Amino acid sequence: MRMSRLFSQTLRDVPGEAELPSHQLLLKAGLVRPLSAGSYSYLPLARRALTKIEDIIRDEIDAIGGQEITMPVVHPASLWQETGRWYQVGPEMARFKDRAERDMVLGMTHEEVIADLVRQEVRSYRQLPCLLYQIQTKYRDEPRARGGLIRVREFTMKDSYSLDADWEGLDAQYRAHFQAYFNIFQRCHLPVIAVRSDVGMMGGQMAHEYMYLNAIGEDTLVLCDGCGYAANRQVAAARLPAAEAEGALPSEPVATPDTPTIEALAELLQVPTARTAKAVFFMATIAGGEGEVDRERFVFAVVRGDSELNETKLTNAIGARDLRPAREEEIRAVGAEPGYASPVGLRGDGVLVVVDELIPQSPNLVAGANQPGYHLRHTNYGRDYTADHVADLVLARDGDPCAQCGGTLRTSRGVEVGNIFKLGTRYTEALEAVFLDSAGNSKPVIMGSYGIGSGRLLSCVIEEHHDEGGIRFPISVAPYHVSCVALLQRAPEVAEAAERLYQEAWSQGVEMLLDDRDATPGVKFNDADLIGLPLRLTLGARSLRQGGAELKARDSEESRIVPLDEVVSTLRAEVDRLLAESRGRVSTVPYAD
RNA sequence: CGGGGCGUAGCGUAGCCUGGUAGCGCGUCGGCUUUGGGAGCCGAAGGCCCCCGGUUCAAAUCCGGGCGCCCCGACCA
């Protein structure tokens, strides 16, 4: 490509809306342009980089047996009604009616369509295992797009789906993806870790997320340097403190004016916050099935005063679709007093009481008396109240002891660039996607699903690889291999040499972006740095006097003069060396579940 | 959905408080000069000041409503 013909222009000033370096650089270097919040056009440079990323993904998924397909973006709602997700998924799924007034959805993921394909095509265990994938547009009506390409509404995702006859097969395909994903990110020069994660709306048995550790990340991760434990904070568990050895004392009311917070209460009574119980109230949406409406139920959650509630854990513990904080009048309606509440003596009908697993082990806690200004000393689980569920409900925090090894947990932020799910039979049972096993029994196919967002991956690569001057593309992702800065001034022989090298480079598979614009050297050098191709070839009157062209790497200050008749072979060798180095980054990562 | 910020030429912005001819830098176009790290001079084009309504002799400016974008939170693959 000649830059005089390149559709996109670089910007001198970055549009004010961009804050993250990757977002600024994507705009400044002319890779993307916004259409509306969370949707972008990908201009030629971005398109080429994305194609490189997608080809790496194809290479690695093909290598574990993947077969590429393409599924529709628009799905009939009936399919999603069959699996129940029509009712479970909220407004992030875009819905509309077609001309015949049929409900339709824009595909945000494709488990339903895959399961539908399976029920049409798969008859026998002999057709399994199987791995299908596509690289395709997804639409999710995000409540809040942010960070350029970090979170968008419309994006491209590689989604693969494994199909197996047995659980061992699922395990094998899951592990194959576990490593293939590391290979993909390593080949894109993006450092990631795999963490355990919530299954969310996907359902299923287990999931990992691939996280690029960076402060710009939206997720909080809990990590243990001692044993390598790594989990999304949504599911991370810390070690339970040892049970208190203390007999139950008789409970008694105590006047505690103006103590609506745990801190104020502990201060007034001179007890540690660990000797108090904290109440948190929600209205949970329990999904109705086909033909049923969703129900709302009051949830009374209790954790110890020294811990924080983890809403994901609570949601999972009660199987809710959604939680929202309860309003004051809703809290009063069940007989609780905001700021002074406990499950003791609630008007119980319809209230779902859920307590953290630490509560039954913690005797004689101070808890609310359900009257303004009063608490109860020495409340005890089992004697004074019981719960519908006892479960781990607390947020793991920086400095907590590790559940596995007792080491110290730390937290870090990360961007989720990929995920893998063991789905099991959740979709195939609902859609009756079954096969006959060798004994002639009909069984549901066992599924896994695996996703990587290529645009988010691109923005993370830029976030990781940039400096003040611009992007520093790794060779494997770079839109072109080399920028040729042709300083054309008053030297027709420069233009001729540049044109000759350009033709020869492409004929040898060296992808050259030739800056043939009528611009000053400063502009061209700055744009070359900004776009950030791994190699830069400078051709000017000066370099010709010195015997050729000047070759420099984007991430180095050193340059050398290469004779003109050796330039393309030198570039070819340099590109091959960089590509080989890039592939050599792949290394095996021990599987940990 | 809650909180905050912002919408003025392609981009970055001043003006708004205190109403009265819409300004600057970059970019763009033409000319001359210049040419190894965002050149100089001369000339030019380019504005429903986000939209609708109100107040006023007069609104970019004040008031009301709406829309859009960004950030934090909630939420989320």
Side-chain angles (χ1 to χ4, degrees), chain A residues 18-196:
Chain A
E19 286 202 354
L20 302 185
S22 57
H23 188 193
Q24 293 179 347
L25 290 168
L26 283 162
L27 293 168
K28 193 171 186 217
L31 272 69
V32 302
R33 294 291 180 249
L35 177 63
S36 65
S39 71
Y40 286 87
S41 293
Y42 301 88
L43 304 188
L45 293 173
R47 184 58 262 168
R48 285 187 65 96
L50 288 168
T51 299
K52 299 272 176 100
I53 288 173
E54 288 164 7
D55 284 345
I56 289 172
I57 293 174
R58 282 193 178 89
D59 196 40
E60 293 292 339
I61 301 300
D62 287 348
I64 59 172
Q67 302 182 58
E68 187 170 1
I69 62 175
T70 297
M71 291 177 274
V73 179
V74 173
H75 310 168
S78 55
L79 194 55
W80 287 71
Q81 286 159 353
E82 280 188 77
T83 62
R85 284 209 286 188
W86 172 261
Y87 312 101
Q88 277 172 23
V89 178
E92 62 271 23
M93 181 156 73
R95 303 160 202 243
F96 64 100
K97 289 184 192 294
D98 72 2
R99 62 197 301 159
E101 293 291 303
R102 283 181 293 244
D103 284 317
M104 309 296 282
V105 311
L106 287 183
M108 53 192 299
T109 179
H110 280 71
E111 285 76 15
E112 277 78 1
V113 181
I114 282 283
D116 180 68
L117 278 173
V118 168
R119 68 177 162 183
Q120 295 179 55
E121 296 298 321
V122 175
R123 302 265 107 80
S124 157
Y125 72 97
R126 294 177 200 276
Q127 293 168 273
L128 301 172
C130 178
L131 176 61
L132 300 173
Y133 75 98
Q134 63 174 350
I135 297 176
Q136 193 227 28
T137 298
K138 298 280 184 280
Y139 188 85
R140 296 182 187 179
D141 193 354
E142 287 292 335
R144 186 179 156 215
R146 57 181 296 260
L149 298 188
I150 294 293
R151 176 164 297 274
V152 290
R153 293 207 164 93
E154 182 174 325
F155 60 102
T156 303
M157 183 163 111
K158 185 288 298 174
D159 42 329
S160 43
Y161 303 88
S162 63
L163 308 170
D164 281 282
D166 52 40
W167 294 95
E168 294 72 30
L170 171 62
D171 194 52
Q173 296 221 56
Y174 189 85
R175 285 169 186 252
H177 275 85
F178 184 87
Q179 179 61 44
Y181 271 34
F182 274 110
N183 297 354
I184 290 164
F185 297 121
Q186 287 163 352
R187 287 175 63 180
C188 293
H189 299 229
L190 189 72
V192 298
I193 63 168
V195 304
R196 294 152 212 244

Side-chain angles (χ1 to χ4, degrees), chain A residues 297-445:
Chain A
R297 200 158 170 201
F298 189 90
V299 177
F300 195 120
V302 182
V303 298
R304 231 168 57 172
D306 57 336
S307 42
E308 278 177 71
L309 182 84
N310 177 327
E311 289 186 31
T312 302
K313 289 181 179 178
L314 177 60
T315 305
N316 291 338
I318 63 177
R321 185 183 99 184
D322 196 28
L323 288 182
R324 66 167 173 85
R327 288 187 286 267
E328 202 167 305
E329 63 271 21
E330 290 166 335
I331 298 169
R332 291 223 159 80
V334 301
E337 175 63 31
Y340 303 90
S342 77
V344 181
L346 283 187
R347 291 200 287 276
D349 47 333
V351 177
L352 199 58
V353 178
V354 192
V355 305
D356 180 58
E357 56 191 351
L358 205 44
I359 294 290
Q361 300 182 18
S362 305
N364 302 324
L365 297 178
V366 178
N370 291 324
Q371 302 180 46
Y374 284 90
H375 281 83
L376 298 172
R377 284 189 200 271
H378 312 316
T379 65
N380 285 279
Y381 180 82
R383 182 189 70 186
D384 302 316
Y385 62 97
T386 57
D388 300 283
H389 298 274
V390 177
D392 174 16
L393 296 181
V394 306
L395 211 52
R397 286 179 293 197
D398 206 275
D400 279 351
C402 172
Q404 281 187 2
C405 75
T408 304
L409 296 174
R410 66 186 170 90
T411 59
S412 175
R413 299 283 281 185
V415 182
E416 180 188 347
V417 287
N419 54 41
I420 57 178
F421 291 90
K422 281 190 184 176
L423 296 177
T425 56
R426 143 122 226 244
Y427 298 94
T428 48
E429 270 181 50
L431 294 180
E432 295 182 57
V434 295
F435 67 99
L436 290 181
D437 70 10
S438 55
N441 300 314
S442 179
K443 290 184 171 172
V445 170

